[in-house]
Amino acid sequence: MEIASLEPSLYTVKAVFILDNDGNRLLSKYYDTELYPSMKEQKNFEKNVFNKTHKADTDEIAFVEGMTIVYKCSIDLFFYVVGSAQENELMLMAVLNCLFESLSQILRKNVERRCLLDNMDGVFLVVDEIIDGGVILESDPQQVIQKVNYRADENPLSEQSVAQIMQSAKEQIKWSILK
């Protein structure tokens, strides 16, 4: 083994991806472009990882193709965080837990495929707040949620917007009666 590969590095995360229960990619971000440079190689790696991990019911750690992989399953989704073989599994698990908890708050505890796809913009924001270029930026879900300005208790139609809609409807009815 090379001495350089054992030196500490901030670039701990090689990839993050989310697959559905059929192994189809919903989201993926690869931070080491030399690892799997083409889309075909990435999808083959994801398929290989999925085939080795999809039967587990709990949070696990796997070693596939010389990579350390931590993963979690939820209803019909599989969340994966990939690091090098020498990477600290606890660091990768902290990233995975932060990702899952942040998404759980954004999706209002409804972490499933349909909700994830409906809120994909927020999902990408969460991933970008946690990891930047393979460097872990944040591992506290509350801080991530605060940074992306999502609130778990907000509904798509807040009370103010309902009041505004009612006021607008009243004005339109008033103007139609006055004409």
Side-chain angles (χ1 to χ4, degrees), residues 56-121:
D57 292 333
T58 60
D59 302 350
E60 299 269 341
I61 298 171
F63 296 97
V64 179
E65 297 182 18
M67 305 300 285
T68 302
I69 301 166
V70 294
Y71 61 97
K72 178 186 285 263
C73 58
S74 170
I75 304 175
D76 57 354
L77 297 174
F78 289 85
F79 298 83
Y80 296 92
V81 176
V82 180
S84 68
Q86 300 89 341
E87 202 53 63
N88 184 339
E89 295 88 358
L90 294 175
M91 295 268 297
L92 297 175
M93 189 58 81
V95 171
L96 179 64
N97 287 335
C98 181
L99 173 65
F100 185 81
E101 292 302 319
S102 299
L103 292 178
S104 181
Q105 288 184 26
I106 286 177
L107 302 175
R108 295 165 188 77
K109 307 286 185 207
N110 197 10
V111 184
E112 63 174 350
R113 183 180 191 272
R114 184 183 53 79
C115 289
L116 185 95
L117 291 174
D118 289 344
N119 296 287
M120 201 56 117
D121 54 341

Side-chain angles (χ1 to χ4, degrees), residues 147-175:
K147 287 179 183 176
V148 298
N149 290 329
Y150 268 83
R151 301 285 182 256
D153 57 349
E154 282 184 1
N155 292 323
L157 288 175
S158 66
E159 294 300 321
Q160 186 178 8
S161 64
V162 171
Q164 289 173 343
I165 291 170
M166 293 299 291
Q167 185 62 33
S168 175
K170 286 179 186 177
E171 288 179 12
Q172 287 179 355
I173 291 171
K174 182 174 78 174
W175 283 108

Side-chain angles (χ1 to χ4, degrees), residues 13-31:
V13 179
K14 302 295 183 191
V16 172
F17 51 92
I18 301 173
L19 306 177
D20 66 9
N21 58 352
D22 295 323
N24 299 317
R25 176 193 284 190
L26 301 178
L27 174 142
S28 73
K29 290 196 88 162
Y30 284 80
Y31 300 104

